[in-house]
Amino acid sequence: SDVCSSDLFQIVHVNHGASQLLRHSVSELRWSRLSVGHHLLCRAEVANRLIELVDSDASITFAVDSGDRNLSLSATAFGASSSGT
């Protein structure tokens, strides 16, 4: 079966400010896969940008807009992983 691109990514650490922006508690977000959430990071465009990041072994910054919120994400690839803020 095909793997959804957002199945490849999991939130390992999240701070209180990020949880407020995403409108979910830290405990709901931590260790969750992007494919099962219902917040801005679960959008296909985020997973696609993270895949590009891992493939390029670089750093990226991009924004995700949703009406009343705009999240600016910075991410860096290391090995087969990525780190984002």
Side-chain angles (χ1 to χ4, degrees):
S1 69
D2 292 333
V3 175
C4 177
S5 59
S6 58
D7 284 341
L8 302 172
F9 299 101
Q10 183 176 28
I11 298 172
V12 175
H13 175 76
V14 62
N15 63 33
H16 182 69
S19 74
Q20 287 182 320
L21 284 171
L22 296 172
R23 297 183 178 151
H24 290 276
S25 71
V26 169
S27 61
E28 287 176 304
L29 293 167
R30 188 177 295 128
W31 301 113
S32 66
R33 295 212 174 269
L34 296 188
S35 60
V36 298
H38 300 284
H39 49 77
L40 291 177
L41 295 180
C42 298
R43 290 183 169 186
E45 66 189 86
V46 173
N48 292 338
R49 294 299 304 266
L50 293 174
I51 288 170
E52 289 173 18
L53 169 70
V54 172
D55 288 343
S56 69
D57 195 32
S59 296
I60 59 170
T61 300
F62 62 98
V64 181
D65 295 313
S66 173
D68 62 340
R69 291 171 290 161
N70 178 296
L71 299 179
S72 178
L73 304 170
S74 297
T76 302
F78 54 97
S81 303
S82 63
S83 172
T85 57

